[in-house]
Amino acid sequence: MKFNVEVGPQFEGERVRKDDLYIEFGGPKVGAKVELATIKKMDEVEHGKITIIGPDIGDLAEGGSYPLGVQVEVAGPELDKDMEPVFERRIHQYCNYIEGFMHSAQRNDVWIRISKDAVKKGLTSLEEVGKVLVYLYPSELPIIEKVAVTFITDSKKVEEFLPSALTVYKERDERVKGLTEEVVDEFYGCTLCQSFAPTHVCIITPERVSLCGAVNWFDGRAASKIDPYGPQFVVEKGELLDANTTIYSKVNEVVAEKSMGASSVFCLHSVFGNPHTSCGCFESIAFYIPEVDGVGILTRDFSGESVNGSPFSTMAGELSGGKQVEGYIGMGVEYLRSPKFLKGDGGLRRVVWMPKVVKERMKDSISPEMFDKIATEEHAKNIDELTEFLNKVKHPVMSGEFS
Ligand code: SF4
Ligand code: ZN
């Protein structure tokens, strides 16, 4: 297969920086962005069909940020609905095989950057990206027999597509409800992001969705079965060494091996001690606020500064790259609903601040008592205002009674 730009795993991890940027799709400047993989019946997918709805790369003004919807439809006699999130996450991997093409984040956070060099070499159409996906899916995952790809760059059409994708994400996230770490025999790991963060390892449990938010326990299980030598794998639990922060002996062994010794202890449910590493595509950040001994939550789509004065991009720079950074973790937003959310630190009783939209989204998972005690940007824009608010509502962190 011949493409205008080179394609291969050697380009994973390649970044497209501001000075090299031709255009970007999605990302923080764009509201309408989404990607979805869907399994269809064999006769519903025309293999190799690539559809572009809206202007193409070559039609768009250099330097701009544009909306994007990507829909990958796959078919194969042995495919199962459970595999959809696995195939969806491969959009990230395969797109990053393309020279001068950087894919980050996922779902309705997706962000794609295309370099000037790539456009000069002929990457002037999304058709080429579609061809790469059509080529790679069946060759990397033989269980897939047919692939069709649709790119939507028309803002209105992306907006129309978005609600159906959000419904699918919600259904996937709800599947793991009720399943606990104690009842399952194994967890799953993912190292897909090591191309950008070489020492990063994700450990995914029924009570800890991946930090990208795109891989839950069921997805890890499906992925490890479809592609046992792929980036997602089985992780045995071993002995529970610390029930509070949640340290398992065999998880530690896997983390040490897969991080090439960079991390050897993982607390699955704490921002302190040896927290989980963060790559760069986390949906949100849990960050310790020492002045009030509480934890704040900041999401990627929150514009402006968080309560500690840092915007998302600054804070993300501090914790990304596969390091264990005490006081910070990157996390999937749905992790807030987990009964084990930061169990070692006091859980939601330790949370003092989060964006209003997140608090509303999580309303049914936060106790009524705590709901009114957690500040948002409407209550506190800085630490002084936060301290005043927490005192007023008698937040448990003010008396140290959060555990
Ligand atoms: Fe895999 Fe974690 Fe990266 Fe998601 S964030 S793709 S689970 S390594
Ligand atoms: Zn990542």
Side-chain angles (χ1 to χ4, degrees), residues 89 193 211 279-281:
R89 201 61 194 130
C193 287
L211 52 82
C279 46
C281 53

Side-chain angles (χ1 to χ4, degrees), residues 163-229:
S164 58
L166 293 178
T167 306
V168 174
Y169 303 152
K170 191 157 186 262
E171 283 166 9
R172 288 180 193 163
D173 294 340
E174 282 184 350
R175 279 192 73 203
V176 284
K177 270 195 189 155
L179 202 59
T180 65
E181 289 174 354
E182 290 76 15
V183 303
V184 299
D185 291 330
E186 54 195 27
F187 300 152
Y188 299 96
C190 181
T191 50
L192 194 61
C193 287
Q194 284 199 344
S195 49
F196 291 96
T199 55
H200 173 67
V201 185
C202 262
I203 299 291
I204 299 144
T205 83
E207 292 172 282
R208 192 180 204 291
V209 65
S210 68
L211 52 82
C212 58
V215 185
N216 68 26
W217 186 85
F218 283 102
D219 309 333
R221 186 174 70 169
S224 64
K225 280 190 190 143
I226 300 166
D227 186 7
Y229 301 105

Side-chain angles (χ1 to χ4, degrees), residues 253-290:
E253 284 172 26
V254 170
V255 166
E257 182 206 324
K258 301 276 182 187
S259 70
M260 289 146 295
S263 309
S264 52
V265 179
F266 250 22
C267 302
L268 294 180
H269 300 298
S270 176
V271 298
F272 302 112
N274 297 281
H276 194 285
T277 53
S278 306
C279 46
C281 53
F282 33 85
E283 288 185 309
S284 60
I285 301 170
F287 59 101
Y288 179 58
I289 307 173

